[in-house]
Amino acid sequence: EMTKRKLSRRLLAQIARVDMRKAKRGTAMESEWRRLDEAREKLRASKMRVQDGPCTTDQLMAWGRTEKEHGSQLLVVDNTRHVESKQVFKNRFDLFAAVSLSMKRIRDHVGLRILVLHHLNADNELSGSRDFERDADLILVLAHNEKDSIPATPENGYSERCILDVKTAKARDDR
């Protein structure tokens, strides 16, 4: 759900292993600036492109085809609530069903793998629609492991370590 700019900054920090707050404040060490420059070059050389605005299911299909033509092997969709349809639906559940069907069409007709990031509700179920759960080939549930994670504090130089537990909720055909 981030803008291109915020996502780029976060990726730079991750690749360079640099606290971006230090770079923003101008307090990064020379070695950290060097790692940020190297990370920037890696990102420029990558084939990754980001579309950070809302789109329709038709635009998503067109985006998928274009990305496939450019050699992409994976399409990541973050927050399906920003995917719209030209059709008018009675409720969000029907819209999510149409979005899920569009994802299947991109996978099957365009031949592009799709990673859909979707929120869980309070009952740890896929929120909005069971269609995502039904149509998915693989469902991984990520949960923050508070016990083993290390929060950012002044004492550890704001160097946090977030540990995620991964549970396979569905694996169709053992893929």
Side-chain angles (χ1 to χ4, degrees):
E1 296 182 38
M2 289 186 228
T3 63
K4 288 181 193 182
R5 186 179 184 97
K6 287 181 181 178
L7 182 60
S8 297
R9 278 194 217 134
R10 183 167 281 184
L11 283 170
L12 278 175
Q14 287 292 97
I15 293 168
R17 302 186 70 73
V18 171
D19 182 348
M20 194 51 87
R21 290 173 289 206
K22 290 168 74 176
K24 284 182 184 178
R25 289 190 303 255
T27 59
M29 297 187 311
E30 187 176 329
S31 61
E32 292 171 316
W33 287 115
R34 200 169 26 258
R35 289 198 313 267
L36 281 168
D37 286 339
E38 290 168 5
R40 190 174 293 110
E41 289 308 313
K42 283 181 184 178
L43 276 177
R44 277 193 189 120
S46 77
K47 294 182 179 181
M48 182 172 51
R49 287 193 289 277
V50 176
Q51 197 280 347
D52 61 355
C55 66
T56 66
T57 53
D58 290 342
Q59 289 170 325
L60 191 61
M61 178 67 88
W63 178 263
R65 282 191 182 109
T66 301
E67 290 308 301
K68 181 70 174 182
E69 289 170 6
H70 283 98
S72 294
Q73 297 177 13
L74 178 69
L75 179 67
V76 179
V77 177
D78 183 13
N79 197 346
T80 53
R81 289 178 290 186
H82 295 298
V83 179
E84 303 161 355
S85 177
K86 290 180 181 176
Q87 248 181 299
V88 176
F89 295 98
K90 291 183 276 182
N91 55 52
R92 297 290 292 170
F93 297 105
D94 292 342
L95 172 61
F96 282 151
V99 170
S100 183
L101 185 59
S102 292
M103 303 291 173
K104 281 181 67 171
R105 286 185 179 137
I106 293 169
R107 179 197 68 200
D108 295 342
H109 298 296
V110 177
L112 193 61
R113 290 181 184 95
I114 301 174
L115 174 61
V116 178
L117 306 176
H118 195 69
H119 301 269
L120 297 178
N121 63 20
D123 297 322
N124 280 340
E125 296 173 336
L126 290 175
S127 62
S129 172
R130 292 234 176 244
D131 294 286
F132 287 113
E133 192 169 352
R134 182 196 66 221
D135 295 339
D137 291 325
L138 176 67
I139 297 175
L140 300 175
V141 178
L142 308 178
H144 183 235
N145 180 328
E146 291 185 34
K147 186 183 112 204
D148 295 328
S149 294
I150 301 170
T153 63
E155 291 79 25
N156 66 17
Y158 296 100
S159 180
E160 72 180 330
R161 191 168 121 194
C162 180
I163 305 296
L164 295 177
D165 293 328
V166 180
K167 175 185 162 202
T168 303
K170 177 182 177 182
R172 185 188 316 255
D173 303 328
D174 294 324
R175 291 182 194 178

